[in-house]
Amino acid sequence: MNAFRARQGLGPLQVSPALTRAAQAHAEDIAGRSFTQYGLGRSGSIWVQKQAASR
């Protein structure tokens, strides 16, 4: 990936400590609520389900 970025004149990817902390907190929240089927439902999209529920 960094080779591709270099060809585009971009710097290498770097780890973001803030993003890592946010991702860990989100993962712990999901695990703590036993929410294991993230993003997909019978319709194929949690967003489709939420839109349908809001109508």
Side-chain angles (χ1 to χ4, degrees), residues 26-46:
H26 180 65
E28 289 172 9
D29 177 51
I30 296 240
R33 293 185 291 137
S34 298
F35 192 67
T36 57
Q37 294 184 346
Y38 187 71
L40 296 177
R42 286 187 301 241
S43 70
S45 168
I46 193 72

Side-chain angles (χ1 to χ4, degrees), residues 1-36:
M1 178 59 69
N2 285 331
F4 174 80
R5 290 177 56 83
R7 288 192 301 271
Q8 306 305 312
L10 301 170
L13 293 174
Q14 297 179 354
V15 173
S16 166
L19 186 55
T20 299
R21 285 190 302 273
Q24 184 65 43
H26 180 65
E28 289 172 9
D29 177 51
I30 296 240
R33 293 185 291 137
S34 298
F35 192 67
T36 57

